[in-house]
Every structure is written in structure tokens, then in C-alpha cells.
Amino acid sequence: CLRIRRCGTALEAMNKKQQQQKIKIKIKKCSLEVRYNEPGFLFDMRLPWSGDGDVRVGFFSSPDGKQWTKVSLIVDSEPDVPSEAELQFFGDTAVSLVRLDNGTSLLSEGHTAVCVASPPYATWDCGRRFDKRLDGPKWFQHAGRQFVMARKHLDDGRKRTALYEIVGTLPDPSAAVSLRELFEFQSAGDTAYVGVLPIGGDQFLVSWYSSVVAKDEQWFSGMFDQSDIWTAWVDLRCLP
């Protein structure tokens, strides 16, 4: 129920066996099929990280998409190093997922704040947090369920791109919420910044970037290496 295809041409060739590799993963009674094909486009230059300095994430409104006015601050905390955020509305209740680089180092796991606000969105309740730092995320809804695709952090400094389901009642700041990992996409080194496009029914086209998978290098060295853009066709109909 899940297929992955890399699109475009690459500077590094893969042999025929690698191109046609298939992996089957069992989720209860449902089989997810993954197909890896041609390598994707490559970027030959990456910029190194030189210090975040991220302090706050704001909520803005606009009548025309051109002129924006700050309504409030979602997270204002220099020690938490807030940055990349996602936003969804449940009726008139706004919920934001905010990346927090508040681990012991940039390479370590941090958290993701789950923030909730009601009209007029002047204040946000960010009392709930996931114990995973979702980098470069894309949050999307399907069939009443919540999914997020983002960078996953391994204990040894390596990274992956993964698909999670958000479990729990997000608009209620008193309700427990958690992440359930569904799938780890083929990825390594510096990876994520996800795109998700619904293409009908239970199907989605997703994209992410990754360092050369075969090297399986750590994130820091991967920033200075080549990157591929991957695309995948995802069918969620078999999820329990």
C-alpha cells in the first residue's frame, strides 16, 4: 500500500538490483510495499549551520496574503530555540506544532511543542510536548486522522525521514497526545523538508531530500555532501 519512486536523473548511478529493490513491511495484517527506482536530482552545494539564534515563533494574519500583521507569539523562549512550525484549524481552534531545538546539543533529540489557541488567538497553551523533535515537517489530515512527515533523529547522530500519526485530541490542551511512527523512508545524512500533495482517494504524493543513502553518514557531514530529491506515492488505505 505504499510505493516509493525517486524521480529524475542522478550524477551517481545505481545498479539494476538497487533500482528494483523491494522491501515489504508488515503493519498488523496489511503489507506496505516500497519500490526504489532511479536516483533523483542532486544539489552540489550546501550551506553549513552557523548558529540558530531562534527565539520566538509568531502567529500572523492577512486580508490579502500580501500585508501581514502579527497577532500573537506562539512560542517565545530562547532556551527552547523554537523554529519550524505547522498550523491546522479545528473549527475556529488553531493548533500549531513547533520544533524545539532544546536538546543537549544540536545533534541530540529535542521536543515538539503542541500549542493551542482560540479566537482572538492572543495567547497560546503550549503545555503539551512530543518527546521527538520534528524537523522540516509537513502535517496533513486524512479521513479524520492526523499525520506528520518529518526528520527523525537516531541516537548516534544519523537522521532519517519518517511518517508518523498523531494520536489524541489535539484541540483540547488537557488531552494526552502522542506520536506513532508508521514508516521510515529511505534516507540518510541531511534529510527531510517534506512536501505532501493529495492526489485523490487515500493517495498522496510526498517528497523529501536526502544525502546519499548508501553512505549512511551523520547529519553534520551530510550537510556538505550531495543531496537527492526523492518522491513517493503513498496509499494510506491499509493502515489499521
Side-chain angles (χ1 to χ4, degrees), residues 19 25 28 57 70 119 132 187 189 206 238:
Q19 292 178 9
I25 298 177
K28 292 188 177 180
V57 171
K70 185 177 73 175
K132 295 184 180 298
S187 50
V206 303
C238 285

Side-chain angles (χ1 to χ4, degrees), residues 27-46:
I27 294 185
K28 292 188 177 180
K29 295 182 179 179
C30 184
S31 176
L32 301 184
E33 185 178 274
V34 181
R35 295 180 180 177
Y36 298 103
N37 293 323
E38 303 249 346
F41 300 105
L42 279 136
F43 299 101
D44 57 11
M45 184 179 75
R46 303 286 306 194

Side-chain angles (χ1 to χ4, degrees), residues 89-123:
F89 283 88
F90 298 80
D92 61 0
T93 299
V95 181
S96 180
L97 305 179
V98 183
R99 166 185 169 176
L100 304 177
D101 288 23
N102 57 359
T104 56
S105 72
L106 185 63
L107 297 178
S108 65
E109 186 76 87
H111 297 86
T112 299
V114 182
C115 302
V116 180
S118 298
Y121 312 109
T123 60

